[in-house]
Amino acid sequence: MSWNEQQVTDTVNAVITKANSDAEFRALAVSDIYAAIKAATGHEVPQEFKINIVDATGYHATIVLPEVRGAADELTETELESVAGGSKSGANDFFNGVGSIAENAANTAIRVGENIGNATADQIRNS
């Protein structure tokens, strides 16, 4: 299946919405995001596409290491697979959509953490 940015956004929103209202599904999303996506949308994500889920309860930081590159004129494994498998622009569209979604999720997690920290500070001051 080829994914466009809207499909990625819809899939992520479906998983988040269901995880916010269903504790069992939330646990599934954390333990096996591929099964959770299938359960929420009916779509399968290839296992070679890595998806990491972080439960925003508490404070977390995620560091994404860039792909190791060889000589300047060599293609990375991901680029090579994109060329061998078809359109690189389709893969770029998918990954750009995921990056935007990940950035939005990180910003939301930061705001939630700040709100929790502010609420805790208010409780301490009011004690």
Side-chain angles (χ1 to χ4, degrees), residues 12-27:
V12 170
N13 289 336
V15 170
I16 290 171
T17 299
K18 189 164 181 159
N20 283 337
S21 62
D22 182 339
E24 188 175 308
F25 179 81
R26 185 180 191 95

Side-chain angles (χ1 to χ4, degrees), residues 29-126:
V30 171
S31 68
D32 185 354
I33 188 57
Y34 303 98
I37 290 172
K38 176 80 172 168
T41 67
H43 299 141
E44 289 191 28
V45 177
Q47 291 291 321
E48 58 272 4
F49 182 76
K50 295 179 181 159
I51 303 173
N52 297 313
I53 298 295
V54 177
D55 188 339
T57 305
Y59 295 97
H60 302 277
T62 300
I63 299 171
V64 178
L65 299 175
E67 191 168 6
V68 176
R69 291 199 173 260
D73 60 342
E74 287 184 26
L75 294 175
T76 65
E77 288 300 316
T78 303
E79 291 169 334
L80 188 57
E81 287 175 13
S82 295
V83 173
S87 165
K88 184 173 180 180
S89 67
N92 284 338
D93 291 344
F94 178 80
F95 290 117
N96 289 336
V98 170
S100 174
I101 292 165
E103 181 179 359
N104 291 341
N107 289 332
T108 300
I110 290 168
R111 284 193 304 278
V112 168
E114 289 171 345
N115 290 339
I116 292 169
N118 291 336
T120 303
D122 289 343
Q123 288 176 333
I124 292 170
R125 279 193 292 272
N126 295 330

